[in-house]
Every structure is written in C-alpha cells, then in structure tokens.
Amino acid sequence: MLSQETLRKLQEMKLSGLAKGFEDQLANPSAHHLSFEERFGLLVDQEMTFRENRRLQRLLKAAKFRESGSLEDIDYLPERGLERSAMASLAQCQWIRQGANLLMTGPTGTGKTWLGCALGNRACRLGLTVTFHRLPLLLEDLAIAHGDGSFRKRLNQLAKADLLILDDFGIAAMNAIGRSDLLEVIEQRTGNRSTLVTSQLPVDRWHDYLSGGNSTLADALLDRLVSGAHRIELKGGSMRNRRGQNTELRE
C-alpha cells in the first residue's frame, strides 16, 4: 500500500519518469541489492531521460517536418558534391546558435528537402526549436493573416524559432505582397535566428526572381539571406532513382 501511495504522489507531481523507474525497481529483485544512493541515482537518471525524450517529441511535433531525415543516413555519393567534413560541422548546429543562415540549392530530386529536415531533426535533438514551411504555402498563409489581423502575431511566431526552414524557394511566382512579407519574415530573424532555404534556383538567379521590378527590395532580401550564409550546392541525378535503399528519396 505504501508503494502505491508513493506512485500516486509521484504521478500527481508529474514525475512520470521517476514513477516508472520506481515501479521497475519494485519488480526487479536485483535492484534491491543496490545501495540507497545507487537506486536513487537511477531514479533521477530515468526522470531526466523521460523529460528529455518528452521535450524532443514536442519539438519534433511542433517542427512539422515534411521528411523524417536523419544525418546518419546521408548518402555521400561522389557526384552529389557533399563533403563529410562540412556536414559534420553543420551537424554541431553552432551556426544556428550564432544566427547564421544556410542556403541549399540543387536540381529537383537531389535531396534538398530531406537534407534540410535531417539538419532540423538534429537541431531538435540538441534542444533547439525548429519550424518547417514550404515557402509558397507560408506566403499564402501570411496573405490571409493580413485580412484577419493576425499578421503581426504570425511574424512574431516565425521570429521565435531557432531555425526556420523555408522549402521550395523559387518554385512558384511571387507577387509584390509576397516579396514584402518575405522581407518582413527575414528581417525579424536577421542577426538573431537562423534560416535554412532550399531552392532549385542557383543563388546567382535569386535577385532576378525576387526583384519583380523592385531591385531595392531584392537587394535588401539578398543582403539579409546571403551575407555570411553557409552554402550547400547539391549535384548529381535524382535520389528518387534509388528507391528501396536507405537513402534520401525526396527533393
């Protein structure tokens, strides 16, 4: 009865990991031979692990990744142009903590989205907050936000994420409002938060895509996105041709 009362109190205090560890020790005779300090240390470790796993699940759910990529599964085919040393450096996520951007370009099917999500997944595992958006859909949402009065709130939400992933940059035409909204999003993050952009367009074609007759706005956007940014230029054929293997399959 005393054990059940203890378990009830632990659950009420939301110490679920510690409660599970306590139950495991009660059911495991070998644990009874451990000292009090050893058993208590194991309980604390289990509570900490439980909290870390729960936080990770919250971060992954909030990120809404399009792909379930993992850096351990990267296919380093020579023709892709991916360097292990560069990826190992990016995997440390120091660039995110420093507020630097990452621009990822390459033909369709070369794994940009998958790789971006893999880096985002890694950031979540290090306790960083990540938000994934396809840029065309995000701009549609922001256009609606202008109408219902929630635009400023949406900007503030986008500004808070440690890493914002903007997928499919350049895949759809962008009107003047979209360009202005994108500038607002990037402006809120510049110098403080990181933005990862994936695009089929080479970076040297971004100015033409963004200008739309307003080269000043395009200059402002490029300055904020490109200045000091890390770059990955994926090459080679489509990874979709390698279906059935443990590699990236998406764009």
Side-chain angles (χ1 to χ4, degrees), residues 19-38:
K20 180 63 168 60
F22 184 50
E23 284 186 299
D24 291 344
Q25 288 192 12
L26 290 175
N28 184 3
S30 63
H32 302 165
H33 301 293
L34 300 174
S35 68
F36 172 80
E37 290 82 2
E38 290 172 325

Side-chain angles (χ1 to χ4, degrees), residues 189-235:
R189 302 181 56 77
T190 299
N192 300 305
R193 298 287 188 269
S194 293
T195 302
L196 189 161
V197 180
T198 74
S199 178
Q200 296 180 31
L201 292 176
V203 175
D204 59 12
R205 291 177 55 189
W206 285 14
H207 190 277
D208 291 339
Y209 172 71
L210 291 168
S211 63
N214 187 344
S215 60
T216 301
L217 188 147
D219 290 342
L221 263 170
L222 283 181
D223 179 65
R224 288 159 176 76
L225 280 173
V226 178
S227 181
H230 301 273
R231 297 194 191 187
I232 295 178
E233 298 180 12
L234 291 169
K235 303 173 184 177

Side-chain angles (χ1 to χ4, degrees), residues 24 29 50 59 73 76 84 110 135 151 159 178 187 210 228 237 248:
D24 291 344
F50 178 84
L59 290 173
D73 295 330
Y76 288 97
R84 291 180 183 271
T110 52
L135 182 58
F151 182 73
E187 174 64 25
L210 291 168
E248 311 97 297

